[in-house]
Amino acid sequence: MKQLSFLFLTMILKKLQISFLLMASFLVITNLHISAQTTINAEDFKNPPNEYRITQYQLTPQTLKKYPEYGIGGVMGFFYSILYPESNKKQYKTNDPAAIGKLVDAANDIDYKVWLADDWGYPSGMAGGRVVAENPDWEVKSLTMLKVSGKGSEFIDFSLPDNLHDIVYAAIYPVNKGTTNLNEGHKIVVDKKHLSSKGLKGDWELRVFARYIRDTLTQGQATIKQFGHAGRYPDLMNREAISRFIANMHAPILAQIEDPANSVEGFYTNEPNLMQTHWQGKTDAPYACAPWSDGLPDAFKKIHDYELHSILPYLFEGQTDTARRARIHYRQAVADLLTDSFSRQIREWCNARGIKSSGHFLLNDYLSMHVQGYGDMMKFVSEFDIPALDIPIPNPDEFRDFSYQQSRFFSSVTSWKKRDKTIMLLDPIIGGYGRSRLSPDLPLLLNSVNMASFHGVNKFTAYLPLKPVKSGSINGHQTRAKGYTPEEYQFFNEYTGRLTQVLQGAQREAGVGLYYPIAMFQGDLLASNQFWPKILKEHEERQKDWDHTEEALLKGDIEYMIVHPEAVAEATIKDGFMNIGYGSYHTLVMPQLDYIPLNVVQQLDRFKKSGGKVIWVDVVPKAEHAKNDEVIKKVLDGALSVSSDKMLAEIHNPSVSEFDLEFSPGTDILNIGRFYKNEKQIYLLINRTQEEITVSIRGKRKKATGKPLNVLDPSTGKIKTVSLSKELIIKGNRALLVIPDKDYLEQSLID
């Protein structure tokens, strides 16, 4: 997640040479054909090409000498200190920008894939503070609300506190029996920081909506010392500001690279977000804050066809249908503006130069944070070429229950947008570990790679320190790293590269689509002045409902993907299947939805009439827009909901019948991932325990016993054939890949 250049070890070895000699053994397959176009060469599987190995942070002359000995396959370059020596970070001995191109060329010379970090500092988006320095009005701001109560037509004279920037809107509302009538507000003309008006007959309440500059105690200020930046973060919803971010970071880096399209993979962003969260647990911020940008009122009106100002109070209070729907509409506008300004603009800029965009995001395991940081995280991520995430590396007593399934948000976007990679950063810091455990033990790393692969990740990055670091303090943080031997890390890279070599470009064989209930979290989330763990607490029950639904599918061995509302609305429907990107779903699970868009309900109706199945979990919803309530009520007339505990009984034909191999033991011990790649079936078997297990396989086809299965072992790099009756041994924290031979697949299925 963070760049830790001071941690990396330097050691010298020759470039890895990939041999294409054929292995000859009775049990070892020389070439395993995935299709006429795609072949897994036995020597390549044993010694994976660099493109499948881990991409390690830092591109320096030293890392290019040292990383090959550790089996690393690529690098990510952080070049801001070359471009901007005022950062005072001595990562390189030169401030000559030409060094960037020379380093990239040197990496290419040893067959290393190169990613480019997109910013000076962390989180991404600020260009070290240069964007805001160019235009202070681009600095990120929040909307906050102030209240003044009064009675009668007395004169009101109001001025903003000094720590607020300006007034966006103000209205006065009648109060009846202690309740403010927010539907009968009267707009008040305002100056920048002042307003004057008469009161109303009877009790009234003045609501003043003002902008608050986010220049203290945000995530953007938390890393000033570490990276030597100004901590001044721009409004990511402002397209012009992001254009200047690109001009200050992406453009000057790429200008030094002679042939970017053939030299680098692309730019990688690091947790950009709306920057609306108070970043301290000891105190609350002075104001409850919601995202604001000058373009929001127009964007809101274009999407929802009514005025944003009319619902501003509901961003801060209210649990009625009116209030919750208003917040859904508002967060949808935020997500739309942010997605267009940041992720779409950067992708289009990169693609015009023949490279890709990617990056990971903030607190992706919590749906309330999907809203808090992005309005709608899956929508925001969908405009990157390669969806990515970072994930903690849990300790042995934690990883049996750890939420690895957060990876599926991102692999589901990959499937939706018909892309072939999902990247995960193996991050030893996040998850409460800090810098006190920077070198997780090898079994923990292998387990994380296994489980991420099960959920659809097929490319890995890391900044794991290779060199031991004694316990001490770096930048005020307690730090300890035991490092890895070259042999340990070489094995880890080979193991990872073998899995990703098979799984890149593979698609999950999922018949069930799990609907992304982002609107419920949008409707629940109020403007806040609290640190994010406190916000999570307020949404704990709804998050538990989501988690419980997902866990039920996983425990039931149901192959599923998460489907975004926009993906459902745009899907094609035929013969009882909803086709979304690479996915084809015979069942849609709709979890805990109080509200739903009209276009989604209309699609679900077509889907049911075509023969598909819709399962409402716990609730049958109303419309996201009140004007559509009657239409949706009519369409959903007779629809019934089931509890999440009874949901599995409603799912018939949980996987496509062609994937007929069955394995034991059960999902509490063995995870089974089913993928297809160019018409070949791939089963990923993962031992979730730390002890060796025996796996039995049963096939449903006629005359299946004795037919060949290809078994690929990422631990050894060996490919062998076994007969269907043979049991497999999987070591603790390890995986196997099973690919049925065509002789097995050509057998008829038992009715």
Side-chain angles (χ1 to χ4, degrees), residues 381-434:
V381 170
S382 73
E383 285 295 328
F384 287 89
D385 290 304
I386 304 179
L389 74 156
D390 65 339
I391 203 167
I393 302 165
N395 287 326
D397 60 337
E398 301 166 310
F399 66 58
R400 289 293 298 274
D401 298 316
F402 183 72
S403 60
Y404 295 104
Q405 60 266 28
Q406 61 192 271
S407 309
R408 209 170 287 229
F409 290 121
F410 301 89
S411 62
S412 294
V413 171
T414 300
S415 177
W416 169 22
K417 294 298 182 177
K418 289 191 171 182
R419 294 165 189 158
D420 63 353
K421 290 181 186 175
T422 305
I423 296 174
M424 190 177 88
L425 168 62
L426 295 160
D427 195 329
I429 289 180
I430 61 174
Y433 305 108

Side-chain angles (χ1 to χ4, degrees), residues 24-42:
S25 168
F26 177 75
L27 291 178
V28 179
I29 299 173
T30 301
N31 289 297
L32 176 62
H33 289 275
I34 295 296
S35 74
Q37 295 78 31
T38 306
T39 299
I40 295 178
N41 178 277

Side-chain angles (χ1 to χ4, degrees), residues 203-482:
D203 294 333
W204 51 261
E205 190 170 61
L206 172 68
R207 302 287 181 96
V208 178
F209 301 92
R211 293 196 296 175
Y212 174 50
I213 298 176
R214 302 311 303 262
D215 58 359
T216 57
L217 293 178
T218 70
Q219 187 196 21
Q221 283 90 45
T223 60
I224 291 173
K225 184 177 180 181
Q226 183 178 359
F227 295 108
H229 61 73
R232 306 300 294 274
Y233 202 78
D235 171 11
L236 300 195
M237 291 185 280
N238 185 313
R239 192 174 177 87
E240 188 177 1
I242 300 312
S243 176
R244 294 308 303 162
F245 168 54
I246 295 169
N248 276 285
M249 293 306 303
H250 300 67
I253 292 173
L254 217 61
Q256 303 303 321
I257 300 170
E258 186 174 342
D259 184 10
N262 292 306
S263 301
V264 300
E265 297 292 288
F267 278 99
Y268 190 92
T269 198
N270 192 344
E271 298 189 8
N273 64 86
L274 289 165
M275 208 57 60
Q276 295 300 313
T277 306
H278 183 63
W279 209 248
Q280 186 188 87
K282 295 179 181 178
T283 63
D284 292 337
Y287 302 103
C289 293
W292 189 259
S293 186
D294 290 343
L296 263 178
D298 287 344
F300 185 92
K301 179 74 178 290
K302 181 178 180 181
I303 297 169
H304 298 295
D305 197 29
Y306 70 96
E307 299 294 334
L308 173 57
H309 294 118
S310 67
I311 56 94
L312 290 182
Y314 297 127
L315 308 186
F316 300 84
E317 64 185 52
Q319 295 302 323
T320 64
D321 283 344
T322 299
R324 295 178 68 208
R325 282 165 163 156
R327 290 194 288 271
I328 292 171
H329 301 163
Y330 162 73
R331 297 287 179 173
Q332 288 171 343
V334 166
D336 200 66
L337 204 59
L338 176 67
T339 300
D340 179 69
S341 172
F342 193 92
S343 48
R344 183 177 294 123
Q345 183 175 191
I346 289 175
R347 178 181 57 79
E348 290 174 348
W349 188 93
C350 288
N351 292 173
R353 289 150 183 83
I355 62 175
K356 298 185 185 300
S357 66
S358 186
H360 68 261
F361 311 98
L362 181 65
L363 299 170
N364 45 240
D365 40 344
Y366 306 109
L367 279 152
S368 57
M369 294 296 106
H370 288 203
V371 180
Q372 179 76 358
Y374 305 94
D376 176 337
M377 183 182 281
M378 283 188 73
K379 179 182 177 75
F380 180 73
V381 170
S382 73
E383 285 295 328
F384 287 89
D385 290 304
I386 304 179
L389 74 156
D390 65 339
I391 203 167
I393 302 165
N395 287 326
D397 60 337
E398 301 166 310
F399 66 58
R400 289 293 298 274
D401 298 316
F402 183 72
S403 60
Y404 295 104
Q405 60 266 28
Q406 61 192 271
S407 309
R408 209 170 287 229
F409 290 121
F410 301 89
S411 62
S412 294
V413 171
T414 300
S415 177
W416 169 22
K417 294 298 182 177
K418 289 191 171 182
R419 294 165 189 158
D420 63 353
K421 290 181 186 175
T422 305
I423 296 174
M424 190 177 88
L425 168 62
L426 295 160
D427 195 329
I429 289 180
I430 61 174
Y433 305 108
R435 291 176 170 86
S436 62
R437 191 212 59 171
L438 286 169
S439 304
D441 292 338
L442 201 60
L444 305 185
L445 295 175
L446 294 172
N447 182 73
S448 288
V449 168
N450 289 340
M451 293 305 298
S453 299
F454 169 70
H455 288 289
V457 172
N458 51 31
K459 176 65 182 175
F460 292 87
T461 62
Y463 61 82
L464 300 164
L466 307 179
K467 181 180 178 180
V469 175
K470 294 181 180 179
S471 296
S473 179
I474 297 177
N475 291 329
H477 300 281
Q478 289 300 309
T479 302
R480 184 177 66 83
K482 62 182 178 60

Side-chain angles (χ1 to χ4, degrees), residues 98-111:
I100 295 172
K102 292 177 182 178
L103 282 166
V104 170
D105 289 343
N108 292 160
D109 287 344
I110 62 169
D111 193 34

